[in-house]
Amino acid sequence: MSTCPIDNRVIRPIRFVAGQCQMLDQRLLPAEEVWHSYTTCQEVAEAIRTMVVRGAPAIGVAAAIGVWFGVRDIDTESSWEFYQELEKICAILLATRPTAVNLSWALERMKHFAESNLDRSVPELKIGLEYEALAITQEDEKINRQMGKHGEPLLADGARILTHCNAGALATAAYGTALGVIRAAVEAGKKISVIADETRPFLQGGRLTAWELQKDKIPVTLICDNMAGALMSKGEIDCVIVGADRIAANGDVANKIGTYTLAVLAKEHNIPFYVAAPISTIDLSLNDGSLIPIEQRDEREITHIKNIQLAPEGISVRNPAFDITPHRLVTAIITENGVVEDDYLTGLSQIIKPT
Amino acid sequence: MSTCPIDNRVIRPIRFVAGQCQMLDQRLLPAEEVWHSYTTCQEVAEAIRTMVVRGAPAIGVAAAIGVWFGVRDIDTESSWEFYQELEKICAILLATRPTAVNLSWALERMKHFAESNLDRSVPELKIGLEYEALAITQEDEKINRQMGKHGEPLLADGARILTHCNAGALATAAYGTALGVIRAAVEAGKKISVIADETRPFLQGGRLTAWELQKDKIPVTLICDNMAGALMSKGEIDCVIVGADRIAANGDVANKIGTYTLAVLAKEHNIPFYVAAPISTIDLSLNDGSLIPIEQRDEREITHIKNIQLAPEGISVRNPAFDITPHRLVTAIITENGVVEDDYLTGLSQIIKPT
């Protein structure tokens, strides 16, 4: 573990140093900027599970790196045995978090690469998978910048934009999804201000979104999750933009718990509700959102902050990490291939494979 | 300041011991049960301002006690001079918190008592005001039990009830308003379970509602504020019941920030939304909720918990303590004089003075 100042120009929560990967510990922000070094698959899996790294696209990137680290240590000359070991490594990483489909997307891509190159030697496969992991990381930033270009016309000059959780640089390789669209609008010269929900229990909004927007000098105001309705009723929010952890074929969106409430509030106040996510978030194998698995997390996330007790001992707690926003509440889904509105069933399947 | 165990049978956050008043420090619950002793008006005002005691009815009770303590020290033989000093004392107490009208209601009642007895000697006025403060305290519990009787028929056997903030024994002299209705339903033999919003930033739900319901062995499950929508969408909430800090003539309700969001969610899911409050909460002088002053509290309530930093240094914060729920979202208002539905403008003015 090493502590060093973060790159002040472009926020990248995952970086590479001499065959190691370093991740900014997002559990400790904003009070501390601590980087951990990882060299094994197991370490990366633990970092995903314990939310050192979080955010659907960043989880995908981290998983690909985990595969790369895992295959480095496979001791065989048989490409077929190598592939079987690779599958075990992917299973370890897949078990870390169930909701974000980007995780399995990245693992499938790594497996597919190996499968397509089984005629190669094991050393060549290892090098190829390293390149593939780095490509997934680099592509993620490009994807987000594309998403920003497609999405920013939806944001008016002067817009006051509510966001939830962190769908920013910290949730991706760089630039962010929802915050990427906001960054693109700012880069296009628009005056934008952001209202960030703190996002209990993990406080990604207060700790991460506020931190990265402040760093990029984009005006941001922090509120508690329960204040969004009051601000909307006073006409202080022009639109909502959030990320996604998985999008079903019909456009139903799994995202951080509390997203659904914002979508209902947006509808009540006739405010557009946008979702920004890479196509790797779209899961056409699921007809609707009811089929998306929802991760239930530890009750201690709610009952304690560090060692401070926020609720009585032994209290019953519910802690779903995500909820489902039905497509009827979603004004548009912004991807790197374009924006989908209205008929998501057709639109998503078309956009996933652009002509 | 003294530390001692709370009465385990009936929860009373304010108690009297030999001319002093003791208050349970609600900022320290549930981790610590600490009682502070008060003997002066200034001390009581500070306890209200800093939220040692909170909850609209309890603030009213505390204010009356503050008046009693204040007038004890008035050094005059002139009843008229005494009354002028009393008005200054009331002004100090009134300035502590702006939204809950029970505060000014209790102060007006104390002033009215003195005004009606200006023919008495100063020593007699002092004794009379002591009796009046004690009467306000005792009546509050009776009022809540009456409210419970009127409201409990609205709660079905087996109901899973969402509540926000703490409108319980800790927010009153005893028994509670919203939680009083729940207690009455339990006493009537109904199987009731409560879902408590934690209620950021002060966490009255997680720290206080969970604590007092657990003490009374009423099943309670704690959630973060942003989870209510998800639970409603899964059919896990049968009704919502909250307290109020001020109710305008048209039935618009000021209550803890986040209440409005719950009312919108309840409407979206066709779930009844009930408000339980004493008639001292109804302010017929205000035509609608837009006229109710909303207290803005310190940003540190959001950016820190004790000394733990939850947001970046220097971040902009909004911290309104209350919001306004328009009457169209309120299914019924439960008072000690009965239940008002639909036409609040007529109903509230009638119920405030029962025949």
Side-chain angles (χ1 to χ4, degrees):
Chain A
M1 188 171 112
S2 66
T3 305
C4 58
I6 195 169
D7 180 336
N8 271 318
R9 289 155 305 166
V10 178
I11 298 165
R12 288 193 175 86
I14 301 171
R15 64 190 186 193
F16 300 97
V17 183
Q20 292 187 349
C21 137
Q22 297 185 334
M23 294 192 210
L24 179 57
D25 192 336
Q26 302 195 23
R27 302 168 305 182
L28 304 179
L29 287 174
E32 295 176 80
E33 294 177 26
V34 175
W35 292 81
H36 302 296
S37 291
Y38 300 94
T39 55
T40 70
C41 164
Q42 283 74 12
E43 285 171 353
V44 171
E46 190 62 8
I48 297 171
R49 201 187 59 74
T50 58
M51 294 172 72
V52 170
V53 61
R54 32 61 54 200
I59 289 173
V61 167
I65 294 164
V67 173
W68 163 27
F69 289 172
V71 300
R72 283 200 300 209
D73 298 329
I74 297 175
D75 186 18
T76 178
E77 287 177 10
S78 152
S79 296
W80 179 241
E81 274 183 29
F82 178 86
Y83 186 76
Q84 288 177 308
E85 289 302 312
L86 168 63
E87 284 196 316
K88 287 181 198 162
I89 288 162
C90 289
I92 290 168
L93 289 157
L94 187 64
T96 52
R97 299 197 67 195
T99 301
V101 76
N102 315 63
L103 176 63
S104 65
W105 169 86
L107 297 173
E108 287 304 317
R109 181 161 155 183
M110 295 296 274
K111 277 199 277 188
H112 179 73
F113 178 90
E115 211 172 6
S116 310
N117 290 282
L118 280 182
D119 55 334
R120 302 261 189 166
S121 71
V122 168
E124 283 175 338
L125 279 172
K126 288 182 179 181
I127 291 169
L129 286 166
E130 177 180 350
Y131 280 123
E132 194 69 3
L134 293 173
I136 287 173
T137 308
Q138 286 158 3
E139 283 169 25
D140 188 60
E141 181 172 350
K142 282 185 205 155
I143 282 167
N144 292 335
R145 291 186 183 272
Q146 273 302 110
M147 205 183 298
K149 281 197 185 118
H150 287 300
E152 71 86 3
L154 297 170
L155 306 185
D157 190 18
R160 299 156 301 174
I161 304 170
L162 178 68
T163 190
H164 187 64
C165 195
N166 173 267
L170 291 170
T172 61
Y175 204 69
T177 54
L179 298 193
V181 175
I182 287 170
R183 284 192 169 93
V186 171
E187 287 165 13
K190 292 176 191 168
K191 190 167 149 38
I192 297 287
S193 57
V194 177
I195 296 98
D197 274 352
E198 64 172 4
T199 316
R200 281 282 290 152
F202 205 68
L203 296 167
Q204 291 95 333
R207 297 190 304 101
L208 309 180
T209 293
W211 181 86
E212 69 166 89
L213 291 178
Q214 193 188 49
K215 238 179 170 54
D216 275 2
K217 298 188 173 48
I218 297 172
V220 55
T221 299
L222 180 63
I223 61 170
C224 296
D225 300 319
N226 61 27
M227 296 171 185
L231 264 65
M232 286 187 191
S233 75
K234 296 171 88 177
E236 297 185 24
I237 311 258
D238 298 308
C239 73
V240 181
I241 185 163
V242 297
D245 290 78
R246 194 182 305 213
I247 300 173
N250 71 341
D252 290 354
V253 173
N255 191 47
K256 181 54 52 194
I257 187 74
T259 301
Y260 169 65
T261 289
L262 293 183
V264 170
L265 287 169
K267 178 193 157 207
E268 173 78 10
H269 297 90
N270 292 310
I271 294 168
F273 181 89
Y274 301 121
V275 174
I279 57 168
S280 58
T281 308
I282 300 166
D283 184 354
L284 294 183
S285 77
L286 302 183
N287 288 337
D288 65 63
S290 70
L291 302 167
I292 299 175
I294 300 294
E295 178 181 6
Q296 307 292 323
R297 290 189 63 86
D298 195 281
E299 60 188 39
R300 201 181 156 91
E301 287 185 352
I302 296 180
T303 59
H304 290 74
I305 286 189
K306 295 195 177 169
N307 286 321
I308 297 176
Q309 188 188 337
L310 307 181
E313 291 283 346
I315 198 75
S316 165
V317 167
R318 292 284 296 277
N319 188 12
F322 304 94
D323 61 24
I324 306 296
T325 298
H327 60 88
R328 69 182 168 82
L329 299 177
V330 178
T331 310
I333 296 174
I334 303 160
T335 78
E336 68 272 35
N337 291 343
V339 176
V340 183
E341 292 176 271
D342 302 324
D343 181 0
Y344 293 110
L345 202 57
T346 308
L348 290 177
S349 62
Q350 281 174 351
I351 210 155
I352 218 165
K353 287 181 192 118
T355 48
Chain B
M1 187 171 112
S2 65
T3 305
C4 58
I6 194 169
D7 180 335
N8 271 317
R9 289 156 305 167
V10 178
I11 299 165
R12 289 193 174 86
I14 302 170
R15 64 190 187 193
F16 301 96
V17 183
Q20 292 187 348
C21 136
Q22 297 185 334
M23 295 192 209
L24 179 58
D25 191 338
Q26 302 195 24
R27 301 167 306 182
L28 304 179
L29 287 173
E32 295 175 79
E33 294 177 27
V34 175
W35 291 81
H36 302 296
S37 290
Y38 300 94
T39 55
T40 72
C41 164
Q42 283 74 13
E43 285 172 354
V44 171
E46 189 63 8
I48 296 171
R49 201 186 60 74
T50 58
M51 294 173 72
V52 170
V53 62
R54 30 62 54 199
I59 288 172
V61 167
I65 294 164
V67 173
W68 162 28
F69 289 173
V71 300
R72 284 200 299 208
D73 298 330
I74 297 174
D75 186 19
T76 177
E77 286 178 12
S78 152
S79 297
W80 179 239
E81 275 182 29
F82 177 88
Y83 186 76
Q84 287 177 309
E85 290 301 312
L86 167 63
E87 284 196 316
K88 289 181 198 161
I89 287 163
C90 289
I92 291 168
L93 289 157
L94 187 63
T96 52
R97 299 197 66 195
T99 302
V101 76
N102 315 64
L103 176 63
S104 64
W105 169 86
L107 298 173
E108 287 304 317
R109 181 161 155 182
M110 294 295 275
K111 278 200 276 190
H112 179 74
F113 179 89
E115 212 173 4
S116 310
N117 290 281
L118 281 181
D119 56 334
R120 302 261 188 168
S121 71
V122 168
E124 282 176 339
L125 280 172
K126 290 182 178 180
I127 292 169
L129 286 165
E130 176 179 350
Y131 280 123
E132 194 69 0
L134 293 173
I136 287 173
T137 309
Q138 287 158 2
E139 283 170 25
D140 188 60
E141 181 173 349
K142 281 185 206 155
I143 282 167
N144 293 335
R145 291 186 183 272
Q146 273 302 110
M147 205 183 299
K149 282 198 185 116
H150 287 301
E152 71 86 3
L154 297 170
L155 306 184
D157 191 18
R160 298 155 302 173
I161 304 169
L162 178 68
T163 190
H164 188 64
C165 194
N166 173 266
L170 291 170
T172 60
Y175 204 70
T177 54
L179 298 193
V181 176
I182 286 170
R183 284 192 169 93
V186 171
E187 287 165 13
K190 292 175 191 168
K191 190 167 150 39
I192 298 286
S193 58
V194 177
I195 296 97
D197 273 353
E198 64 172 3
T199 317
R200 281 282 290 153
F202 205 68
L203 297 167
Q204 292 94 333
R207 298 190 303 101
L208 309 181
T209 294
W211 180 85
E212 70 166 87
L213 291 178
Q214 193 188 49
K215 235 175 173 57
D216 275 2
K217 299 188 170 50
I218 297 172
V220 55
T221 299
L222 181 63
I223 61 170
C224 296
D225 300 319
N226 62 26
M227 296 171 185
L231 264 64
M232 286 186 192
S233 75
K234 296 170 86 175
E236 297 185 25
I237 310 258
D238 298 308
C239 72
V240 181
I241 184 164
V242 296
D245 291 77
R246 195 183 303 213
I247 300 173
N250 71 341
D252 290 354
V253 173
N255 191 46
K256 181 54 52 196
I257 186 74
T259 301
Y260 169 65
T261 289
L262 293 183
V264 170
L265 287 169
K267 177 193 159 207
E268 172 79 10
H269 297 90
N270 292 310
I271 293 168
F273 181 87
Y274 300 120
V275 174
I279 57 169
S280 58
T281 309
I282 300 166
D283 184 354
L284 294 183
S285 77
L286 302 183
N287 289 337
D288 63 64
S290 70
L291 303 167
I292 299 174
I294 300 294
E295 178 181 6
Q296 307 292 322
R297 290 189 64 85
D298 195 281
E299 60 188 38
R300 201 180 157 91
E301 286 185 352
I302 295 180
T303 59
H304 290 74
I305 285 189
K306 295 193 177 170
N307 286 322
I308 297 175
Q309 187 188 337
L310 307 181
E313 292 284 346
I315 197 76
S316 165
V317 167
R318 292 283 296 278
N319 188 13
F322 304 94
D323 61 24
I324 305 295
T325 298
H327 60 88
R328 67 181 167 82
L329 299 177
V330 179
T331 310
I333 296 175
I334 303 159
T335 77
E336 69 271 34
N337 291 343
V339 176
V340 183
E341 291 174 273
D342 302 324
D343 181 0
Y344 293 111
L345 201 57
T346 309
L348 290 177
S349 62
Q350 281 175 349
I351 210 156
I352 217 166
K353 288 182 190 114
T355 48

